[in-house]
Amino acid sequence: MDRDNTGPQQASATTVHQPVMVSEVLHWLAPKPGTVIVDATVGGGGHARAIAELLGPEGLLVGIDRDPSALPRAEAALASYPHLVRQGNYADLPEILAELDIPVVDGVLLDLGLCSDQLLDHKRGFSFDSSGPLDMRFDPSAGEPAFRLVNRLSESRLADLIYRYGEEPASRRIARAIVTERQRQPIRTASQLAEIIRRAIGRKGSRIDPATRTFQALRIAVNEELKWLEIALRRIPEVLRPGGRLVVLSYHSLEDRLVKEAFRNDSRLKALTPHPVTPSAQEVADNPRARSAKLRAAERIV
């Protein structure tokens, strides 16, 4: 049940994901013909393809993703361009590049958002209305699925997790409702959990689903996202050549704070964006999932 046939051999090569802030990414990453750029969260390959077009036949796009189901989609998107695609954690970028015999690169992109393809895969449990298992792992072969967390953690630990990673003010009420429900029956699906949360706190006229922050918190915890981001921000400058750029797209304050502090405090980096770059009003209208995106960029200087 934990693996649930999510390996790349079952994955579709078609993506529905709409990449965020493509023109801004290209501006700050500044890919030049003949250079090597890493999209370390390649997903459906939307950003990667736009970058690869600028690298030309002498350049190279390296795509990495923790999710094995993303790899066929990335391969399809990059089929017309020089590229290498590998499964892996962006925190392990130095090791991945060493295996590819690439000592340094000219730029790295991290897009920390959840891919629409993952949301639409009901076997993964990312979406509120998913009837499949509440899994939420980017790599379905590693770690503990979310349904185990919600069924085993104490009420106080659940509340702390939801508050810390989801910044959810109703965390204690939600944790109490989860524990009450699981005493009647185990919580197994995303739709089941989402309904528990909605009953616990109501909609209150919010423009976002009441389950949003709790789902974010569980996803961050399951995938240890903040831990790996912190490690990656320390390690990625090792593989950037002087003048090389690191561009990060984040989607909530916890991520953005880590990026801002890393760019400010790492003597190897010069922050290029004093304030986060945000999507245009037109882009948010066209793609509402872009509304919370923040872009920060830095350049390797020593």
Side-chain angles (χ1 to χ4, degrees), residues 167-211:
E167 301 178 296
E168 170 58 76
S171 61
R172 299 203 177 279
R173 201 184 323 163
I174 292 167
R176 193 177 311 121
I178 289 172
V179 170
T180 299
E181 178 64 24
R182 79 189 190 194
Q183 289 171 346
R184 295 195 316 107
Q185 61 177 333
I187 298 167
R188 292 290 182 183
T189 70
S191 58
Q192 186 183 1
L193 176 62
E195 190 53 39
I196 293 167
I197 298 166
R198 291 171 187 141
R199 289 200 306 265
I201 64 174
R203 289 192 175 269
K204 300 179 183 178
S206 173
R207 64 188 178 90
I208 66 169
D209 192 288

Side-chain angles (χ1 to χ4, degrees), residues 258-278:
L258 288 176
V259 178
K260 178 175 69 173
E261 290 174 357
F263 287 3
R264 177 187 294 164
N265 299 328
D266 192 325
S267 61
R268 299 167 296 178
L269 297 175
K270 173 187 176 184
L272 301 176
T273 48
H275 305 286
V277 179
T278 56

